[in-house]
Amino acid sequence: MFLNGGSKKDKRLARCPICKKNEADTATRPFCSRRCADVDLQRWLTGAYVIPGAPDELDSEDNAPE
């Protein structure tokens, strides 16, 4: 869906990943407001979002036979 029935060069409507509103403010994109941006940041800081990775070296040392 394109704005103003325009061409493919027009920006698409973006949904806010937090509240799912259709509008996204250009100052807080991809979020619709500063509040939703802060909610997302708080989720990252508290560990609600996790990026999987390789185990730490300390974990492998604890499990290594002596």
Side-chain angles (χ1 to χ4, degrees):
M1 173 197 247
F2 295 103
L3 297 173
N4 302 327
S7 67
K8 291 182 180 181
K9 292 182 181 180
D10 291 341
K11 292 183 180 179
R12 290 178 171 244
L13 289 175
R15 287 186 171 246
C16 175
I18 302 300
C19 68
K20 308 299 185 215
K21 285 184 182 177
N22 283 333
E23 312 88 37
D25 184 13
T26 55
T28 57
R29 187 164 248 147
F31 308 102
C32 66
S33 66
R34 180 73 185 158
R35 179 197 168 279
C36 285
D38 288 343
V39 167
D40 184 71
L41 177 61
Q42 190 261 342
R43 289 179 182 175
W44 278 105
L45 294 176
T46 59
Y49 297 144
V50 179
I51 299 174
D56 290 337
E57 290 180 22
L58 294 176
D59 291 341
S60 61
E61 288 177 10
D62 292 339
N63 296 328
E66 292 183 20

